[in-house]
DNA sequence: ATGCACGCCCTTTTT
DNA sequence: GGGCGTGCAT
């Protein structure tokens, strides 16, 4: 691996700024030394982008341009944020913890928590992931008497999310964007969906980006507070910002224009979730005095690989011109493996892995298998198992998306935010306590009729009179368990409180009684969640339940990837972005699958 | 009315 | 390898 790679060697032995400037090439140090005014860094793949960003922050601090607490650095993944923070900590020490560095979602959640009341929320609002959103949509569809099997909740959610990303309100959507009956349904659902989230004191992922804009638009004095606080703003992966992210950062930067964006139009991979490549293409028009610096030297790949990538990217119609080059060796040619089907492919990849290990001495953790979609992993897992090759899966159904984990999390969410309707619906009959569909339906419609929260209905004995008698008692039991555990929050530890919930509800007991392979696994996952909570509690100063919940709702699986375990890594191409492996298999390179095409496969997407 | 077992469905990429 | 809906038993 090259010395400029993401490798683990300590690059920051010296504390003297000049020391590490010496490690940079001309363009890199130019970018690091630029301090005031808008700066656009076009950073090709493997061109040392992270190192430039970290050094730039260190440089701003060293030159006393600002305090750490006045720098805002936004990334897309927790991993990128953590990596940068660690590197900066090496240079400047614990002061690094004062940086406002994190994903868009986590930073703006932080701001929203502080300003919640100004956007009509309570501080401990819940965060709904896409699964929660789908379930809300589904509920709304049912209330509208639309069969969720004919109209898929996901389709509706995509439309709502797409609209939100582009800052189109439910009202505007209904007025302007209805072109099909599906749009029409989406428009109806959109409004109700928003109300329901609001009433549940919950935000979805998109809200975390939109609500700050609302906040700043309606409260100029609050906007100004943050404009003054953030003297320097840095945005990583700018090519992947969507409209909301573009607007909110522009608002924050407009006073000082000390905004530095780093990106590469050729590496835009998130258009499917609203990323708008024109944000980076138009940066120079947004800020007429912007400086542009292109990082074109690649430190990661061989010439052979670079040449191949370049030949493909050159065909993009819209792009910022640049040519990647490298001083690295020519390297092995790329090997093409023709296969009859996926089973043969997997089998031969597994064999190749054994070969490169035996003949060329690579270790398992230096090898990666990349595919387009998670479900492709299965056949490779099988093949690797058969050949006794250890592997680790990154992504797919992540730990925090498992049903049993989500259930326990839902219980915890209810301690913090009892009005979280999605959480109630999730666990009110989990484990089965005799509150079935029929009773639930009654309860929900009571809430709607009285324009109140489900929680309110559950608590109100008068309202419950219409509900099936046996269910009433069970509802009361459910409520009192939650109330009891909520009392504990201040006193007991989080793990103990969680254990109490599990005990009182019999959640784990059901798994023990079932005693099947499956329930055993589920039980283990719940135990692992307890471990995670306990670890969180031990490693944090102010380890509140709501802080834990926030963290788990904003982590992804790549964040937990183990770099040193002796295992081949399996993941999607998306998840691999920014990582390095000496040996890489890109599998399933089939028409329509890679790149993904099909009916709506537009040329721009390809 | 609820609970359970079964068969059906689907699987882009992520915060 | 999931969830989810259906249909049957309790």
């Amino acid at each position: 691996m090259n010395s400029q790679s993401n490798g683990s060697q300590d690059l920051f032995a010296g504390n003297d700024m000049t020391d590490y400037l010496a490690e940079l090439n001309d363009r890199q140090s130019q970018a690091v030394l630029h301090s005031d005014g808008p700066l656009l860094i076009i950073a090709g793949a493997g061109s040392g982008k992270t190192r430039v960003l970290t050094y730039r922050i260190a440089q701003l601090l060293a030159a006393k341009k600002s305090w750490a607490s006045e720098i805002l650095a936004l990334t897309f993944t927790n991993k990128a944020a953590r990596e940068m923070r660690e590197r900066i900590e090496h240079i400047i020490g614990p002061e690094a913890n004062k940086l406002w560095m994190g994903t868009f979602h986590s930073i703006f959640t932080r701001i929203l928590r502080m300003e919640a009341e100004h956007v009509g929320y309570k501080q401990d609002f819940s965060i709904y992931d896409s699964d929660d959103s789908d379930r809300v949509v589904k509920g709304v569809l049912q209330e509208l008497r639309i069969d969720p099997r004919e109209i898929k909740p996901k389709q509706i959610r995509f439309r709502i999310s797409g609209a939100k990303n582009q800052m189109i309100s439910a009202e505007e959507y209904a007025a302007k964007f209805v072109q099909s009956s599906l749009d029409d349904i989406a428009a109806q659902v959109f409004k109700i969906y928003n109300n329901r989230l609001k009433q549940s004191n919950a935000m979805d992922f998109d809200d975390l980006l939109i609500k700050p804009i609302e906040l700043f638009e309606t409260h100029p004095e609050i906007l100004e507070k943050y404009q003054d606080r953030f003297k320097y703003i840095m945005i990583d992966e700018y090519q992947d910002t969507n409209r909301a992210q573009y607007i909110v950062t522009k608002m924050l930067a407009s006073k000082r224009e000390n905004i530095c964006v780093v990106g590469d139009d050729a590496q835009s991979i998130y258009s499917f979730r609203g990323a708008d490549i024109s944000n980076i293409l138009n940066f120079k028009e947004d800020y007429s005095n912007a400086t542009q610096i292109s990082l074109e030297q690649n430190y990661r790949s061989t010439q052979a690989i670079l040449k191949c990538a370049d030949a493909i990217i050159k065909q993009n119609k819209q792009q910022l011109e640049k040519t990647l080059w490298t001083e690295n060796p020519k390297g092995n040619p790329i090997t093409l493996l023709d296969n009859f089907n996926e089973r043969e492919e997997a089998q031969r990849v597994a064999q190749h892995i054994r070969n490169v290990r035996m003949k060329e001495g690579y270790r398992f953790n230096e090898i990666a298998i990349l595919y387009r979609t998670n479900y492709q992993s299965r056949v490779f897992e099988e093949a690797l198992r058969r050949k006794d090759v250890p592997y680790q899966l990154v992504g797919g159904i992540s730990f925090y998306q498992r049903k049993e984990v989500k259930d326990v999390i839902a219980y915890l969410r209810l301690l913090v935010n009892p009005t979280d309707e999605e959480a109630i619906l999730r666990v009110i009959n989990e484990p089965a306590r005799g509150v079935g569909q029929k009773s639930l339906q009654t309860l929900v419609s009571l809430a709607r009729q009285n324009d109140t929260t489900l929680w309110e209905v559950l608590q109100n004995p008068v309202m419950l009179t219409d509900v099936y008698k046996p269910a009433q008692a069970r509802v009361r039991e459910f409520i009192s368990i939650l109330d009891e555990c909520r009392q504990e929050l201040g006193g007991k530890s989080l793990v103990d409180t969680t254990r109490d919930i599990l005990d009182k509800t019999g959640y784990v007991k059901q798994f023990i009684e079932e005693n099947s392979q499956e329930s055993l696994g589920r039980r283990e996952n719940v135990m692992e969640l307890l471990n995670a909570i306990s670890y969180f509690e031990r490693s944090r100063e102010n380890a509140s339940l709501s802080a834990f919940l926030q963290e788990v709702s904003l982590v992804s699986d790549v964040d937990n990837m183990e770099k040193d375990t002796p295992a081949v890594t399996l993941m999607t191409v998306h998840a691999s972005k920014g990582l390095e492996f000496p040996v890489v298999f890109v599998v399933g390179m089939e028409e329509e699958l890679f790149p993904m095409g099909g009916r709506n496969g537009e040329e721009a997407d390809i």
Side-chain angles (χ1 to χ4, degrees):
Chain A
M1 237 183 262
N2 194 282
S3 70
Q4 290 232 359
S5 71
N6 293 337
S8 55
Q9 67 269 55
D10 188 7
L11 303 165
F12 313 99
N15 280 326
D16 187 353
M17 199 68 214
T18 52
D19 269 10
Y20 47 83
L21 282 181
E23 295 165 10
L24 301 173
N25 66 37
D26 285 353
R27 298 256 178 98
Q28 287 176 331
S29 42
Q30 205 186 328
V32 167
L33 291 172
H34 175 101
S35 62
D36 289 25
L39 173 64
L40 167 63
I41 303 175
I42 304 294
S47 63
K49 171 193 73 170
T50 309
R51 120 189 307 233
V52 164
L53 267 177
T54 49
Y55 285 3
R56 201 176 113 80
I57 291 172
Q59 170 65 25
L60 287 172
L61 296 172
K64 301 256 182 282
K65 286 276 184 185
S66 80
W67 299 106
S69 58
E70 297 169 327
I71 293 177
L72 173 67
L74 296 165
T75 65
F76 274 82
T77 63
N78 295 293
K79 189 175 125 275
R82 195 179 50 210
E83 207 174 283
M84 264 203 269
R85 192 187 292 282
E86 277 167 13
R87 290 206 200 182
I88 294 172
E89 206 171 342
H90 268 111
I91 308 174
I92 67 166
E95 187 73 8
N97 288 314
K98 295 186 185 157
L99 292 163
W100 282 72
M101 175 149 17
T103 61
F104 273 91
H105 293 84
S106 68
I107 291 287
F108 287 110
T109 300
R110 194 169 152 192
I111 291 175
L112 283 169
R113 293 237 188 260
M114 294 190 291
E115 316 290 347
E117 57 187 289
H118 298 296
V119 283
Y121 274 78
K122 293 204 213 80
Q123 199 189 350
D124 283 325
F125 58 82
S126 300
I127 298 172
Y128 280 9
D129 66 13
S130 12
D131 186 52
D132 296 322
S133 293
D134 280 340
R135 294 166 65 121
V136 176
V137 169
K138 194 175 159 200
V140 176
L141 285 174
Q142 275 163 344
E143 282 170 42
L144 292 172
R145 314 265 150 148
I146 296 165
D147 186 352
R149 278 167 311 180
E150 272 169 54
I151 307 290
K152 297 263 180 304
K154 255 196 206 354
Q155 291 181 290
I156 304 294
R157 198 235 312 155
F158 284 153
R159 280 177 163 71
I160 295 176
S161 174
K164 284 189 174 189
N165 284 160
Q166 291 172 74
M167 308 277 310
I168 297 163
S169 69
E171 291 71 22
E172 280 175 281
Y173 187 91
K176 288 188 217 152
F177 296 91
V178 175
Q179 277 147 16
S180 66
S181 57
L182 198 60
D183 291 335
D184 189 47
I185 294 169
Q188 290 179 58
V189 176
F190 198 167
K191 273 191 195 169
I192 306 174
Y193 169 89
N194 273 347
N195 292 339
R196 200 126 306 160
L197 261 65
K198 181 86 184 279
Q199 194 156 46
S200 295
N201 193 30
M203 298 200 197
D204 63 20
F205 283 144
D206 304 313
D207 289 334
L208 298 178
L209 303 173
I210 292 172
K211 299 289 176 190
I213 298 176
E214 252 175 64
L215 169 74
F216 294 151
E217 275 174 350
T218 51
H219 297 78
E221 75 287 355
I222 295 180
L223 170 62
E224 200 168 352
K225 180 171 87 184
Y226 288 99
Q227 284 174 331
D228 288 333
R229 172 168 309 171
F230 302 131
K231 293 200 175 139
Y232 291 91
I233 298 175
M234 262 158 272
I235 308 169
D236 193 13
E237 310 278 13
Y238 195 65
Q239 75 282 353
D240 284 330
T241 49
N242 62 31
R243 180 144 187 88
Q245 289 163 326
Y246 166 79
I247 290 175
V248 75
T249 50
K250 193 165 184 194
M251 287 173 113
L252 285 172
S254 68
K255 196 162 173 182
R256 301 169 190 269
E257 298 204 338
N258 285 332
I259 179 171
C260 164
V261 305
V262 186
D264 178 5
D265 52 300
Q267 293 182 66
S268 169
I269 56 172
Y270 288 121
S271 62
F272 69 91
R273 69 172 198 210
D276 186 353
I277 195 169
S278 56
N279 290 345
I280 193 167
L281 296 174
N282 296 336
F283 185 81
K284 283 187 285 183
E285 281 147 46
D286 285 334
Y287 301 93
S288 54
N289 57 334
T291 308
Q292 177 179 338
I293 298 173
S294 300
L295 306 179
E296 298 178 329
Q297 182 174 2
N298 172 291
Y299 295 95
R300 179 182 293 158
S301 309
T302 61
Q303 288 178 28
I305 287 171
L306 222 52
K307 201 173 151 197
C308 172
D310 192 56
I312 294 168
I313 291 167
K314 273 265 177 319
Q315 300 182 46
N316 287 355
K317 295 227 166 83
Q318 246 197 346
Q319 60 177 320
L320 296 165
E321 278 305 320
K322 69 190 154 303
T323 307
L324 277 182
W325 58 278
T326 185
E327 287 173 354
N328 289 345
K330 191 155 184 302
N332 294 324
I334 293 164
T335 308
L336 264 178
L337 214 51
D338 252 318
N339 300 292
F340 185 68
N341 59 26
E342 69 272 23
R343 297 174 61 84
E344 187 194 33
E345 179 182 39
Q347 195 267 328
R348 288 178 71 192
V349 167
Q351 189 56 50
H352 266 254
I353 288 175
R354 296 207 60 128
N355 290 349
V356 294
R357 191 171 119 91
M358 299 303 278
K359 293 182 191 149
E360 300 175 50
Y362 285 106
R363 286 168 300 166
F364 285 134
N365 60 345
E366 294 178 307
I367 303 170
I369 300 176
L370 310 181
Y371 35 78
R372 185 64 227 273
T373 71
N374 278 307
Y375 74 90
Q376 290 173 269
S377 71
R378 195 147 313 140
V379 55
F380 288 90
E381 290 180 69
E382 260 170 54
L384 293 174
R385 263 201 301 266
R386 261 204 302 277
K387 290 215 185 308
D388 280 325
V389 176
Y391 64 87
Q392 66 169 337
L393 251 191
V394 176
I397 306 267
S398 91
F399 181 70
Y400 288 104
Q401 286 172 326
R402 288 170 191 279
K403 182 185 181 321
E404 59 277 19
V405 176
K406 286 211 75 168
D407 285 350
V408 180
I409 298 273
Y411 271 111
L412 295 174
R413 262 164 49 179
L414 285 176
L415 298 191
V416 171
N417 173 19
T419 54
D420 187 334
E421 183 174 302
E422 193 41 48
I424 297 178
L425 294 175
R426 203 177 168 98
V427 292
I428 192 167
N429 200 31
E430 196 69 55
R433 55 168 70 83
V435 186
Q437 242 176 28
K438 201 78 183 192
S439 305
L440 250 185
Q441 216 179 325
T442 321
L443 291 166
V444 169
S445 50
L446 277 169
R448 305 286 178 261
Q449 280 160 27
N450 295 286
D451 189 33
T452 183
T453 62
L454 186 52
W455 177 253
E456 201 67 40
V457 173
L458 298 184
Q459 276 190 311
N460 189 334
V462 184
M463 286 198 189
L464 286 184
T465 44
D466 284 353
V467 181
Y468 181 58
K469 271 268 162 10
Q472 285 185 34
R474 317 311 289 279
V475 164
R476 254 178 258 126
E477 198 186 328
F478 174 71
I479 294 285
S480 63
I481 292 175
L482 288 171
D483 284 340
E484 282 165 34
C485 293
R486 191 173 305 111
Q487 303 282 315
E488 296 175 8
L489 271 184
K492 281 194 184 179
S493 71
L494 295 185
V495 212
D496 287 341
T497 307
T498 314
R499 281 212 191 88
D500 274 350
I501 295 180
L502 298 177
D503 285 347
K504 288 179 180 166
T505 56
Y507 191 83
V508 178
K509 209 170 97 197
Q510 63 174 331
F511 296 143
I512 299 173
E513 279 164 3
E514 275 171 37
N515 197 25
S516 67
Q517 199 61 35
E518 191 196 349
S519 46
L520 220 75
R522 289 183 187 272
R523 183 165 163 254
E524 266 170 38
N525 285 330
V526 173
M527 294 305 149
E528 202 171 322
L529 177 62
L530 283 172
N531 280 338
I533 295 172
S534 151
Y535 175 77
F536 178 83
E537 216 163 11
R538 277 179 283 126
S539 61
R540 287 291 183 99
E541 292 276 321
N542 46 354
S544 69
L545 178 54
S546 97
F548 176 76
L549 292 173
Q550 175 174 324
E551 180 152 306
V552 301
S553 49
L554 298 176
V555 290
S556 75
D557 224 40
V558 207
D559 300 326
N560 300 319
M561 189 186 119
E562 302 270 348
K563 228 180 162 175
D564 303 318
T565 46
V568 173
T569 303
L570 273 70
M571 62 185 157
T572 62
V573 180
H574 274 75
S576 76
K577 191 170 182 198
L579 303 177
E580 310 188 340
F581 296 89
V583 182
V584 174
F585 296 86
V586 187
V587 300
M589 307 276 293
E590 289 170 39
E591 193 68 31
E592 305 276 278
L593 183 60
F594 200 138
M596 205 130 223
R599 307 167 299 289
N600 48 3
E602 313 229 340
E603 204 188 345
D605 288 340
I606 291 172

